[in-house]
């Protein structure tokens, strides 16, 4: 019996939808939009501060209740340099390569936010431990989502630390 012919109909389907950010993410986005301020939430059991805030602690799984105001500055915890184009999920606009993307731990937070870095996209100019500051859209242009963060840029007068000498492993003396 011959295999049936498979007929394809190539098309793009756009499905528009809206969903509620909820109390926790709603407050986070409202504070960012209206006041240019980041808020995290502290676990009452382990004291871990999560940003963006979560209803329950990711570690202890207990309800979070204590809001914590965070600054706009933080430390680069990890990064990548992108050599392929990427569509920004918050704006739908492409980023042309090369560009840098990183995980930033805001001062006072135990978690990171991943975002575009406004730095020269070369390893010589970026390092884990680099101090950064969030640059937000002008207040009148903020809409209450993560695209209100334009990028993170380095604080002034920083120099990449010298690499630590590598430890030599003991040789096998057999």
């Amino acid at each position: 019996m011959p295999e049936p012919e498979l007929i394809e109909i190539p098309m793009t389907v756009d499905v528009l939808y809206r969903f509620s950010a909820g109390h926790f993410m709603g407050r986070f986005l409202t504070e960012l939009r209206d006041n240019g301020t980041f808020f995290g939430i502290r676990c009452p059991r382990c004291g871990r501060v999560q940003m963006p805030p979560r209803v329950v602690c990711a570690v202890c799984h207990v309800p979070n209740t204590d809001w914590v105001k965070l600054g706009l500055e933080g430390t680069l915890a990890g990064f990548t340099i992108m050599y392929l184009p990427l569509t920004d999920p918050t704006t739908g606009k492409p980023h042309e390569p090369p560009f840098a993307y990183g995980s930033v731990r805001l001062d006072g937070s135990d978690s990171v936010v991943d975002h575009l870095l406004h730095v020269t996209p070369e390893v010589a100019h970026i390092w884990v431990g680099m101090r950064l500051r969030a640059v937000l859209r002008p207040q009148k242009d903020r809409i209450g989502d993560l695209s209100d963060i334009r990028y993170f840029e380095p604080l002034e007068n920083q120099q990449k630390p010298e690499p630590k000498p590598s430890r030599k492993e003991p040789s096998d003396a057999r």
Side-chain angles (χ1 to χ4, degrees):
M1 182 169 185
E3 297 232 0
E5 178 184 5
L6 299 177
I7 299 174
E8 295 180 8
I9 304 172
M11 70 172 66
T12 301
V13 178
D14 290 326
V15 180
L16 300 175
Y17 62 93
R18 292 178 148 201
F19 61 93
S20 171
H23 172 69
F24 284 71
M25 199 62 178
R27 178 172 178 189
F28 172 78
L29 294 172
T30 300
E31 290 287 351
L32 183 60
R33 180 192 66 203
D34 296 349
N35 302 312
T37 306
F38 289 106
F39 270 84
I41 196 143
R42 180 179 289 118
C43 172
R45 182 178 292 166
C46 70
R48 184 173 189 264
V49 176
Q50 298 167 99
M51 194 285 301
R54 297 171 51 131
V55 175
V56 297
C57 176
V59 175
C60 301
H61 308 290
V62 299
N64 287 317
T65 55
D66 185 20
W67 288 90
V68 178
K69 185 175 181 179
L70 304 169
L72 294 175
E73 295 180 1
T75 303
L76 187 61
F79 67 93
T80 188
I81 297 172
M82 303 291 288
Y83 294 98
L84 297 171
L86 174 76
T87 300
D88 187 323
T90 63
T91 64
K93 295 179 182 175
H95 292 296
E96 290 303 317
F99 62 92
Y101 206 79
S103 299
V104 180
R105 181 171 290 107
L106 291 178
D107 296 344
S109 176
D110 293 300
S111 54
V112 296
V113 60
D114 296 326
H115 214 287
L116 185 67
L117 305 178
H118 189 64
V119 297
T120 303
E122 297 172 6
V123 174
H125 298 280
I126 311 169
W127 63 92
V128 170
M130 173 185 268
R131 298 286 297 157
L132 302 163
R133 170 183 274 282
V135 175
L136 306 178
R137 283 184 179 160
Q139 204 280 326
K140 66 179 181 51
D141 297 332
R142 292 186 205 142
I143 59 175
D145 71 21
L146 291 177
S147 70
D148 288 341
I149 307 167
R150 290 178 57 204
Y151 49 77
F152 283 86
E153 67 181 2
L155 299 181
E156 292 183 11
N157 301 319
Q158 294 185 81
Q159 290 188 353
K160 185 173 184 174
E162 292 294 322
K164 295 179 183 176
S166 61
R167 285 185 12 200
K168 289 187 177 180
E169 295 297 322
S171 62
D172 190 358
R174 286 188 220 167

